[in-house]
Amino acid sequence: MRYLGNKTKLLNFIENVMEKHNITGETFADLFAGTGAVGDYFKEKYCIISNDYMFFSKILNKAKLLNNTTPKFEIFVEKYRISPFEWLNMKKYVPQENYFIYKNYTPVGDRMYITEKNAVKIDGMRLDIEEFYNNGIIDEKEYSFLLASLIESVTKVSNTSGTYQAFFKFWESRALKDFVLEPLDMNETNSVDPNNRIFDEDTNLLVRHISGDIAYIDPPYTTTQYTNSYHLLETVARYDYPEIF
């Protein structure tokens, strides 16, 4: 995912610093977690505490820290005989009155963040994923993984430079691709700690109520407001029909 301050290229450096200074412990707190690259990297070695103010980041981190491999979706597969990825990608969606992304972030809403064709799929899949969860066809781990996969897949067809403060006034080639729901890219491990905890709170307040051994604290280093930069992904995650201004 294109994300401001992504830590993927720092992972080996972080690990080397810990080894050099003999930083040890059982609990690792990633307090400005973003896309969850750090927690995902260390999840086999430590119990992870993850926090980020953005809710969509919480979903990404839950998907990576609650699952050690891609979920099997056993109840879903038993019911439909195919994976939810196949089911959702095969389904033919048409615009509905409650399709928020289609109505507000495509040319239908005088914006060019997403093509109309792709937005219809995004809205339809988002609502179906919620229905699967509410009906007990997928559990919390599977729900987090499916929703995180949807969020990451949205970024692959977004008509922006990477953030969502503005859209291109022309259709970039990436945005014209057909939307496909693809499994979230994450580190597959033998196990994850069942005590991993994932928050979406103000770190300054959260640290007063948690404890651990190792803290990785890498806050935003620009004046960029992530709530503005990633509002569309936040809306896909929450799907709470926010007021647009």
Side-chain angles (χ1 to χ4, degrees):
M1 177 186 291
R2 294 177 295 167
Y3 188 77
L4 292 172
N6 192 301
K7 313 300 191 309
T8 302
K9 294 182 179 180
L10 295 177
L11 296 173
N12 288 332
F13 170 76
I14 296 168
E15 188 170 39
N16 289 338
V17 168
M18 292 171 62
E19 292 176 355
K20 178 181 178 180
H21 296 282
N22 194 30
I23 299 172
T24 61
E26 297 180 356
T27 302
F28 186 111
D30 182 16
L31 297 178
F32 292 86
T35 61
V38 175
D40 189 40
Y41 185 78
F42 288 106
K43 68 184 180 184
E44 192 168 30
K45 296 181 178 180
Y46 303 99
C47 174
I48 305 294
I49 299 174
S50 168
N51 183 59
D52 194 281
Y53 189 72
M54 302 297 291
F55 181 74
F56 86 88
S57 292
K58 180 180 182 179
I59 296 297
L60 294 174
N61 279 273
K62 285 183 71 173
K64 295 175 180 179
L65 298 176
L66 298 182
N67 295 288
N68 62 306
T69 62
T70 299
K72 298 186 184 302
F73 300 101
E74 292 179 353
I75 296 176
F76 188 99
V77 172
E78 182 179 354
K79 180 178 178 64
Y80 294 104
R81 301 301 176 186
I82 56 176
S83 77
F85 290 93
E86 294 173 286
W87 193 95
L88 291 165
N89 283 321
M90 288 171 56
K91 184 174 179 178
K92 305 298 182 183
Y93 292 97
V94 295
Q96 304 290 335
E97 183 62 29
N98 60 339
Y99 278 18
F100 192 84
I101 304 301
Y102 171 77
K103 290 181 64 177
N104 294 286
Y105 294 112
T106 73
V108 171
D110 295 324
R111 298 179 179 91
M112 292 175 63
Y113 284 101
I114 305 284
T115 65
E116 294 172 27
K117 181 180 179 181
N118 285 338
V120 168
K121 291 183 179 180
I122 293 165
D123 282 311
M125 289 181 184
R126 177 63 185 88
L127 292 169
D128 278 343
I129 290 170
E130 197 69 23
E131 186 173 351
F132 295 155
Y133 183 56
N134 290 336
N135 291 337
I137 301 173
I138 57 176
D139 61 24
E140 182 183 10
K141 296 178 182 180
E142 295 167 338
Y143 171 76
S144 298
F145 189 87
L146 264 185
L147 184 50
S149 298
L150 179 65
I151 292 167
E152 188 168 270
S153 296
V154 167
T155 68
K156 297 177 181 178
V157 296
S158 296
N159 195 42
T160 73
S161 61
T163 64
Y164 295 84
Q165 291 174 314
F167 52 82
F168 292 130
K169 303 303 188 291
F170 59 91
W171 290 113
E172 191 183 36
S173 59
R174 175 178 56 250
L176 294 174
K177 296 178 181 177
D178 286 340
F179 181 81
V180 177
L181 178 62
E182 298 177 344
L184 179 71
D185 183 21
M186 72 170 190
N187 186 26
E188 299 212 346
T189 59
N190 292 321
S191 63
V192 292
D193 195 302
N195 296 313
N196 287 345
R197 289 180 288 165
I198 302 96
F199 300 94
D200 58 333
E201 300 183 17
D202 183 331
T203 294
N204 287 316
L205 300 177
L206 178 65
V207 294
R208 292 163 170 78
H209 306 287
I210 61 174
S211 62
D213 304 309
I214 305 166
Y216 178 68
I217 304 173
D218 193 349
Y221 46 84
T222 70
T223 58
T224 301
Q225 295 296 311
Y226 280 60
T227 51
N228 295 338
S229 295
Y230 297 100
H231 63 89
L232 193 149
L233 301 183
E234 189 77 352
T235 296
V236 171
R238 292 184 179 275
Y239 217 80
D240 55 354
Y241 302 93
E243 179 183 357
I244 294 177
F245 57 92

